[in-house]
Amino acid sequence: MSLERPDTVDDGAVEQTPDELEALLGDLVVDRDDHLNAPGFVIRPDTVQETLRTLKEQAGYDHLSVVSAQEYENRYESIYHLKKYDDPTQEVSIVVPADKDDPVSESAEPVFRTADWHEREAYDLIGIEYDDHPDLRRILLPETWQGHPLSMDYDKDRPQIATLPEHANPLEDHHKDAESDTMFLNIGPHHPATHGVLHLKTVLDGEQVVDVEPDIGYLHRSEEQMAQSGTYRHQIMPYPDRWDYISAGLLNEWAYARAAEDLADIEVPEYAQVIRTMGAEMCRIAAHMLALATFALDINGDFTATFMYAINDRERVQNLLEDLTGQRLMFNYFRLGGVVWDLPEPREEFFSDTRDFLDQLPESIEEYHNLITSNEVFQMRTIDTGILPPDVAKNYGATGPVARGSGVDYDLRRDDPYGYYDELDWDVVTEDGCDNFSRLLVRMREVEESAKIIEQCVDLLEDWPEDERNIQANVPRTLRPDDDTEIYRAVEGAKGELGIYIRADGTDKPARFKIRSPCFSNLQTLPEMANGEYIPDVIAALGSLDVVLGEVDR
C-alpha cells in the first residue's frame, strides 16, 4: 500500500517503554507524571539540557514539537513535548517545575534550536526565565510591556501604553573599514512581500544579507487566553478558523477537535470522518493555491497571470467549501463528535460540482508547470536558493511542505493516522532539493494527492447507505475532563504540524490551552535559509515558507 513507510525508516524508530525511558534517564528523573498520550517525567530545572540531549541522541526523540508553560499556586512549570520524526506516535513529555519566587529553568536551546522562540514566548507570557538562552527577551509583546499576561498576578484591566525603542544596527560595532560597512534595512511590517504584518530586521553588506531577524507579534490576539475562557463543547470551536485564516479553517478546527475528543473519549462516526477528510483536503488545496499564487508574485511581478489563474482555481474550491459549510472563510463546520450538518442537498449536484473541479485540476496543474516551474527566470530565482538541509529543518522543528521540501518524510496523516486517511490510497510527497523550488514542487504535488483523497471520499459518500449517515456522536452537554489531565494532539495542517496542548482542571473550561503553530516553528528557519543570500532571495525564501501571521502570532 502506498502509505507504508520505507523499511529503513521503520527500523530507525525503536520504541521504548516508559520504564525503559526512566531507566535511560536514571537520576535525572525525580518523579513521573500522567499525560494521556505521552509518559511524563519530572526533572530538576538545572538538568534540562542533559535530559533532552539523552532523549535526542540515545532514544531518537529528535523532534521538539512544542514547549508549554504555566504558573500554579506553588510553582511554575515548563513542559517539553518530544516526538520522533521517524514515528511521531512515540511521544514523551518532560516536565520542569521552577521555583515560585525565582522561576528560573535551564534553556533547551543548545539541544533544540526550536526552543529559542518557544522559550521566549514562555518568558514573555508567563514570566519564566531560561538560563543559557542566547536571546531571552519578549517575542510577541513590545519590550516596554509591563508584566506577563498569562501569569496569575497580571491585571488585564490595567491599560498600558507601549513605546517602541529605536532600531539599531546590531552589527555596527563590527565594522572593519568603510568598504565593508553594513546597512540596517527594515522590511515590513506592512509590506506586500511579508505576507501579513511581519517585520524583518535585515543587515546588509552591499546587496548581500549578513543577518535577518523576524520580528513578530503585530497580530497577537490572545487566542490561547480566549480559548481558556470558553467551554469545551461550544465556545472554543469558532476560534481555530482565525489562526490560519486563508481557507485552512477546517484543518485548524480538526486540530482542536482531535485534542478535545481524545481528552473526553469521544468516538467520531465513520461517515463524519469521511466528510471531515474530504473538507480538510479541499482546504489544503485552497491554501496551497494561494501559496503558489503569492509565491509567483514574490519571485517576479511578471507572474501576475499565474496569480490570477491560481486564485481562480482557489475560488472554485472555495465555492465547494461554501456549499459544504455555509461559510466562505470562517467555516465553523466541525463539532466535537462530528460535523454540524450533512452534505448539501441535492447531494448529486454537490458531487457533480466536486467531480467537475477535480476533472479540470490536472490541466490546471500542467498549466502552472508551463507557466512557472518550466520558466527559466523562475528556476534561476528558486533553484539552489533558500537552502534548508534536513538536519537543520529537524533541529528547528520544521514540518509540512517546508520539511518535506528538505526530504524529511514526515506527514501526520500517514504517520499518526486520524480521520479516514489510513483507509485511502495516496502518497506522501517529498523533494530532496532543500531549496525554494523544492518547497513549491511539494505543494503542487500535494494538490494532486489531495485531489485523489477527495475523489475517494466522494466515491464513499455517494454509496453511503442513507440510514447510516450519522454525522455526530453522542456528546455530553457539558464536558468536564478530570482534574490535571493533560494531552497534546496534532493534525497535518496546510503548513505542517498543527497541535493543541490542553491541561484540564475538572471544570468545563481548559486550565491551559496551548497552540503549536507550524508557521511559528517554520518561520524560525528563515535566517538559516537567507543569511549569505541576496535581498531578492530573502523574499523568495520567506514566500516559500508560506507563513500566515495570524497563526504565527495567534
Side-chain angles (χ1 to χ4, degrees):
M1 186 177 175
S2 60
L3 293 183
E4 290 181 353
R5 299 183 66 112
D7 292 340
T8 52
V9 174
D10 286 338
D11 292 341
V14 179
E15 186 167 5
Q16 299 90 358
T17 65
D19 290 339
E20 289 173 336
L21 289 174
E22 186 173 0
L24 175 68
L25 295 174
D27 295 340
L28 295 171
V29 177
V30 297
D31 200 358
R32 292 277 289 268
D33 201 0
D34 292 327
H35 292 213
L36 285 187
N37 57 326
F41 298 103
V42 182
I43 64 169
R44 298 194 313 273
D46 60 342
T47 60
V48 174
Q49 292 175 17
E50 184 179 357
T51 303
L52 297 188
R53 188 171 287 113
T54 301
L55 290 170
K56 182 180 184 181
E57 296 176 356
Q58 299 184 37
Y61 287 91
D62 57 351
H63 179 25
L64 175 58
S65 55
V66 66
V67 180
S68 180
Q70 189 171 359
E71 181 184 3
Y72 294 82
E73 292 289 346
N74 61 348
R75 69 187 189 283
Y76 286 81
E77 200 172 87
S78 303
I79 300 176
Y80 298 85
H81 194 91
L82 302 176
K83 291 183 174 184
K84 296 180 180 180
Y85 274 101
D86 284 347
D87 182 0
T89 62
Q90 298 183 42
E91 303 172 75
V92 61
S93 291
I94 299 301
V95 182
V96 189
D99 189 81
K100 181 74 174 181
D101 297 325
D102 184 23
V104 180
S105 177
E106 192 176 50
S107 172
E109 193 275 341
V111 185
F112 290 100
R113 285 287 293 124
T114 190
D116 183 347
W117 280 21
H118 285 265
E119 288 179 345
R120 281 181 62 188
E121 183 180 329
Y123 162 72
D124 191 359
L125 301 183
I126 312 289
I128 300 175
E129 298 194 17
Y130 293 91
D131 269 348
D132 280 350
H133 193 285
D135 188 22
L136 190 63
R137 55 191 168 90
R138 292 187 181 278
I139 187 168
L140 295 175
L141 298 173
E143 278 295 321
T144 50
W145 194 264
Q146 301 296 309
H148 306 279
L150 293 184
S151 61
M152 297 178 73
D153 62 351
Y154 184 76
D155 182 3
K156 63 182 179 183
D157 296 323
R158 177 189 169 198
Q160 293 196 32
I161 298 175
T163 57
L164 292 174
E166 292 183 3
H167 297 303
N169 184 343
L171 297 186
E172 60 184 0
D173 294 336
H174 299 174
H175 291 182
K176 302 297 183 186
D177 52 53
E179 293 182 357
S180 63
D181 278 355
T182 57
M183 180 179 74
F184 183 77
L185 177 67
N186 287 307
I187 303 177
H190 297 288
H191 190 283
T194 58
H195 294 229
V197 277
L198 170 66
H199 174 204
L200 295 181
K201 300 176 180 177
T202 54
V203 179
L204 308 177
D205 184 357
E207 292 186 32
Q208 202 163 18
V209 178
V210 178
D211 186 44
V212 58
E213 178 195 346
D215 177 23
I216 64 175
Y218 294 87
L219 202 51
H220 181 55
R221 296 157 294 164
S222 303
E223 291 275 1
E224 294 175 1
Q225 201 165 19
M226 286 194 288
Q228 288 169 196
S229 303
T231 58
Y232 291 102
R233 177 76 193 273
H234 295 295
Q235 294 178 339
I236 296 177
M237 190 57 84
Y239 290 125
D241 283 316
R242 273 77 176 169
W243 304 341
D244 174 359
Y245 41 73
I246 58 167
S247 305
L250 297 186
L251 297 158
N252 304 354
E253 293 174 20
W254 207 340
Y256 168 62
R258 192 181 187 200
E261 285 161 358
D262 282 5
L263 186 66
D265 198 20
I266 298 169
E267 187 169 346
V268 181
E270 198 173 10
Y271 179 70
Q273 294 281 27
V274 179
I275 295 177
R276 283 182 169 189
T277 304
M278 177 188 68
E281 293 311 306
M282 288 178 176
C283 282
R284 194 180 311 277
I285 291 177
H288 281 358
M289 282 295 173
L290 189 58
L292 186 155
T294 53
F295 188 54
L297 283 185
D298 287 334
I299 297 301
N300 189 331
D302 289 345
F303 289 119
T304 308
T306 308
F307 178 85
M308 299 303 293
Y309 288 4
I311 290 296
N312 186 50
D313 279 325
R314 183 176 183 270
E315 282 294 295
R316 297 193 66 179
V317 74
Q318 285 284 107
N319 292 338
L320 296 174
L321 285 164
E322 184 176 5
D323 290 343
L324 177 65
T325 68
Q327 306 292 330
R328 198 161 180 84
L329 205 61
M330 306 299 169
F331 304 114
N332 194 17
Y333 180 63
F334 279 27
R335 294 292 180 273
L336 298 190
V339 295
V340 64
W341 49 59
D342 200 350
L343 300 178
E345 296 287 352
R347 293 165 65 93
E348 293 73 18
E349 182 177 328
F350 177 75
F351 292 140
S352 176
D353 290 344
T354 304
R355 290 193 186 284
D356 287 345
F357 170 73
L358 297 177
D359 288 344
Q360 62 83 38
L361 201 53
E363 185 177 346
S364 293
I365 296 291
E366 185 63 31
E367 201 161 30
Y368 295 130
H369 282 298
N370 290 334
L371 281 167
I372 48 177
T373 60
S374 302
N375 184 291
E376 186 179 359
V377 173
F378 189 89
Q379 291 177 0
M380 290 175 64
R381 291 287 316 283
T382 57
I383 293 177
D384 291 335
T385 60
I387 298 295
L388 183 66
D391 56 333
V392 177
K394 288 181 177 180
N395 202 25
Y396 278 86
T399 53
V402 174
R404 292 192 286 274
S406 294
V408 179
D409 191 11
Y410 181 81
D411 191 316
L412 293 178
R413 293 174 292 175
R414 176 200 61 190
D415 302 334
D416 185 12
Y418 57 95
Y420 215 72
Y421 288 111
D422 58 348
E423 301 291 332
L424 306 175
D425 187 24
W426 58 283
D427 293 304
V428 174
V429 176
T430 60
E431 292 284 340
D432 295 327
C434 306
D435 55 13
N436 293 328
F437 193 71
S438 291
R439 290 184 276 279
L440 175 71
L441 285 183
V442 167
R443 292 192 180 92
M444 292 179 68
R445 289 177 58 198
E446 284 188 357
V447 167
E448 299 177 70
E449 296 302 319
S450 293
K452 285 165 58 177
I453 293 171
I454 294 170
E455 187 172 22
Q456 293 171 73
C457 289
V458 169
D459 290 341
L460 289 165
L461 294 170
E462 275 185 322
D463 298 332
W464 211 277
E466 188 171 354
D467 56 355
E468 296 178 13
R469 294 173 189 169
N470 187 6
I471 60 169
Q472 276 201 27
N474 290 323
V475 180
R477 179 183 294 273
T478 303
L479 297 177
R480 290 192 175 86
D482 294 339
D483 185 19
D484 213 26
T485 310
E486 300 180 56
I487 191 170
Y488 172 77
R489 277 293 186 210
V491 301
E492 188 67 32
K495 276 70 173 167
E497 178 181 334
L498 177 58
I500 304 295
Y501 164 85
I502 296 176
R503 190 185 76 81
D505 60 359
T507 70
D508 60 348
K509 300 174 183 176
R512 184 74 174 99
F513 189 97
K514 170 71 180 174
I515 305 165
R516 193 276 181 194
S517 151
C519 292
F520 186 78
S521 292
N522 290 347
L523 183 57
Q524 265 190 281
T525 66
L526 183 64
E528 297 282 350
M529 301 160 61
N531 288 351
E533 303 274 14
Y534 291 97
I535 275 284
D537 300 326
V538 176
I539 304 304
L542 177 62
S544 77
L545 290 176
D546 186 29
V547 293
V548 168
L549 271 299
E551 191 185 272
V552 174
D553 291 350
R554 291 153 282 133

